[in-house]
Amino acid sequence: MRTNGGKISKPSWPKVMARKWLNIPIKGDEFHSDYSPKYETGRRKSCSDQDRYVVVPDDFSDRCTLMGETTHRQSCGMEPPTVTDDPNLKMFVGTWNVGGKSPQDNLNLREWLKSPTPADVYVLGFQEIVPLNAGNVLGAEDKGPAAKWLSLIREALNKNDPGQLDQQGKPRLSFSDLLSLEDELSSADFERLLNLNPASTSSGENSPTSPVMCQWKGNSPMQGNRYCLSASKQMVGIFMCVWVRADLCRHISNTKVSCVGRGIMGYLGNKGSISISMTLHRTTFCFVCAHLTSGEKEGDEMRRNTDVMEILKKTRFSHSCRTKGQLLPPNSILDHDKVIWLGDLNYRLAAACCGDTHELLKKHDWQALLEKDQLRIEQQAGRVFKGWEEGRIYFAPTYKYLANSDHYVAQSSKSRDKRRTPAWCDRILWKGEGLKQMSYVRGESKFSDHRPVSSLFSVWLDLADKKKLNSCMLKSSAKVQAEELLLLTEPKAA
C-alpha cells in the first residue's frame, strides 16, 4: 500500500493482476496476529484494531521474557500463564469449504468447534471464502469475509469457554512451580503465597496438585480472552488461522507462512495451499491448508497428486540468519517434527463405484464406499501421501449437498452436468511422531454444499531440551507471577 494525503490507498487492480499473471509474490510472507507490534523487528504494515498486520520475529518468545513478562502479557491482553509440566496438549483441527458465501453475524460455529475435551490449539482452514470468479482470482483479494470469519471464531472460542481455569475462573500457578521459587523468596512471602491457596482450607492443603490462584491487572481490549490469534493468512479463497490458549503465546516462536498457487496456469491462487510454520516450545509444527484440483473425470486424481507434490516441493519458509546456539528453523514442510494437512483435497470415488453408490448410501455402508475412495487408492499405491496417516472414517461423504439441505445433489439433480457423485473431499491427514488422533468427525451445518470436518489430536511435546536450556526463563516467568500476587496482596498503609 502507499499513502496519499494521509490516506491509505489499495494497490491498483491492474498492478495486482500483472503481478499475479507474472507469478510475482504479493506479501506472501506476511500474516495477521494478535501479538503486539511493539516486539517486532520484521517488515510490517501499520496496524489497527480492525486490521492487525504483523510479522512476528523469530525470537519473539525469548525476547518477551527478557524484556519483562508482565509488560508484554498486559500489552497482548493475555491471562497469566498456566504453568504445567505435562507436555501433552490437545489440538483441534478443522476444515470447511464454505462455497464462496460470506457468513452472517448470527452464524453459530460452536457445533463445528466443539470437542470431547477443551483444546489448547485450534487450527482452522477454509476454502472458497470468496467466490472463485475472475475478479477475486486475478484482482485484489476481498478481505471482508476473512474478517467476518475471524470475528465469529473469536467469539465462539472465547464465549463461555471453561478452558482450564479454576472454579472461580482464574488462571493457575502450579504448586511445584512455586516450590522452585522458595530459595528466591523470603520465608514470609513464601508462607503468604501458600496461605493464599484457596485449597488450603480443604484436605488438599499445600499438596502438589493444589493451585495457587493468581490475579491479574490490566484494561486491554482483549482482556479475558482465553484464545489469541497466533497467525492467519488468506490466498484468494483459501484461508487459514491458528488460535492458541493465551498462556501458550509466549512459548511460540519462528512463525512463518508460505503460499503456493496451483490454479489457473498452474500458479494462480484459486487452487493451492497456505502453510503456517511455528515452533511451540522446542517442537516444530507445519499446518497445510490445501484446495486441490476439482473434477471427477478419469485422470483428475493424478492432477491432484501433482498438486500435492508441487506444494511439498515449492513451500519454503524464509528465516533470518540464526544466532549462535539457536536451532535452524525448518525450511520445508517435511522438515518439521509434526505436520498436519487439511483441506478440500477433492479426491472422489472411482468411476467403477458409481453404479451402486445410491444403494450403499442408503445402507450407510461407508466402508464399502471407501474402498473406491481415490485418496486411499492413490495412497496405497504409493503415488501420494506416502507415509502419512489418516484416521478411520465413520461419517457420511461430505460433498456435494444441495443448499440448506440434507440431500446430495446426485440424489436430486436432473442435469447430468450438475450431478456430482458424493465423496469425501474434505480430509485431515498427519505425519510425525507424538500425534494421536482422538476423534475424526464431520459437522452438520447446511451453510454450504460441503460439510465441515474436524479432528482432535493429543500432541506430545519434547520438552527435555527446553527444560535444560530455558529453566531460567521458566523460573523467571513464575517469579513474575509470584511478585505480582505479592504486590496485589500487600497490606495497605493506614
Side-chain angles (χ1 to χ4, degrees), residues 50-170:
Q50 292 77 24
D51 187 23
R52 298 177 182 270
Y53 220 146
V54 177
V55 177
V56 182
D58 292 350
D59 58 347
F60 173 77
S61 61
D62 293 349
R63 289 167 57 206
C64 283
T65 303
L66 295 174
M67 295 178 69
E69 182 73 7
T70 303
T71 302
H72 161 63
R73 298 195 70 78
Q74 287 179 344
S75 69
C76 290
M78 302 174 189
E79 302 282 359
T82 302
V83 184
T84 174
D85 292 329
D86 185 6
N88 192 353
L89 300 179
K90 300 298 184 293
M91 181 176 290
F92 180 99
V93 180
T95 179
W96 196 1
N97 185 318
V98 294
K101 295 172 62 178
S102 184
Q104 299 298 317
D105 293 339
N106 60 353
L107 180 63
N108 188 353
L109 297 183
R110 298 210 186 160
E111 190 274 334
W112 177 39
L113 299 179
K114 69 181 180 182
S115 65
T117 183
D120 304 287
V121 179
Y122 284 82
V123 181
L124 305 176
F126 296 84
Q127 304 81 45
E128 296 190 47
I129 65 167
V130 298
L132 299 183
N133 53 40
N136 286 324
V137 174
L138 300 175
E141 287 172 345
D142 180 1
K143 303 290 186 181
K148 290 182 180 180
W149 285 113
L150 287 177
S151 177
L152 289 169
I153 294 166
R154 190 185 299 278
E155 180 183 9
L157 293 182
N158 289 309
K159 189 173 182 180
N160 298 328
D161 179 75
Q164 295 181 0
L165 300 177
D166 66 280
Q167 293 179 350
Q168 297 179 350
K170 295 184 181 297

Side-chain angles (χ1 to χ4, degrees), residues 164-183:
Q164 295 181 0
L165 300 177
D166 66 280
Q167 293 179 350
Q168 297 179 350
K170 295 184 181 297
R172 303 180 177 186
L173 175 66
S174 71
F175 186 83
S176 60
D177 199 69
L178 177 63
L179 288 179
S180 72
L181 300 173
E182 186 172 9
D183 294 336

Side-chain angles (χ1 to χ4, degrees), residues 178 181-182 184-196 212 482-483 485-487 489-491:
L178 177 63
L181 300 173
E182 186 172 9
E184 298 190 32
L185 297 173
S186 68
S187 299
D189 284 345
F190 186 74
E191 177 120 17
R192 250 175 74 212
L193 284 172
L194 287 179
N195 291 334
L196 285 169
V212 175
E483 290 174 348
L485 184 56
L486 288 170
L487 181 63
T489 59
E490 192 74 43

